[in-house]
Amino acid sequence: MAELTRERVFGREAQLEQIVSAIDAPGSGVRRPVFVSGSAGIGKTSVVRAALNRCRSGALVAWGTCWHGEGAPGFWPWIQAFADLSRDVGVDAAVDAAGRDRELLSALVRDLGPGPDSADPRWDRVLLLDAARRWIETIAADRAVALVLDDLQWADPSSLELLG
């Protein structure tokens, strides 16, 4: 599980409860996205960390932070979050969840092995986006998953495309 520090937040009980209830809801999995927005420096990350610490569901927490500045690798926050998921469920379970998409998904999840060799990268991209969605859904079928993508204002186009 992604390392969470204990955060103390004041005056944000309503926001904390919204996040906790979305994660702890029965069968929540990936079906209840929560977006936390606001100006820089107001404590969004602290609120999310505090909410995750309050969850009772035992959700897997996968955390990725967008790269600030030029030269962000494609899918950077997803690669970080997917590494957390793979580590938390174990490589064997991650491979099982990937199923026939294992080679394709290895572009985002290093634990799955070598990536694909393809003559059509545009088609691979479409398949990759769909495979990533299926992989998360498969992992979240048995246990809630809290997938946190921090600092989305700096997200690369690929990361935003996968979020969509």
Side-chain angles (χ1 to χ4, degrees), residues 70-133:
E70 296 295 315
F75 302 108
W76 182 247
W78 293 98
I79 290 169
Q80 295 171 6
F82 288 173
D84 282 350
L85 275 181
S86 179
R87 196 171 27 257
D88 287 349
V89 300
V91 174
D92 291 340
V95 168
D96 289 346
R100 64 186 176 147
D101 296 322
R102 178 182 179 180
E103 183 179 351
L104 190 61
L105 281 168
S106 65
L108 298 177
V109 188
R110 293 185 193 125
D111 288 343
L112 298 180
D117 287 328
S118 175
D120 190 354
R122 287 179 298 156
W123 178 242
D124 280 353
R125 185 176 193 83
V126 170
L127 294 175
L128 176 62
L129 297 174
D130 189 51
R133 177 193 53 80

Side-chain angles (χ1 to χ4, degrees), residues 29-41:
V30 294
R31 294 178 273 292
R32 297 197 54 203
V34 176
F35 293 92
V36 179
S37 64
S39 301

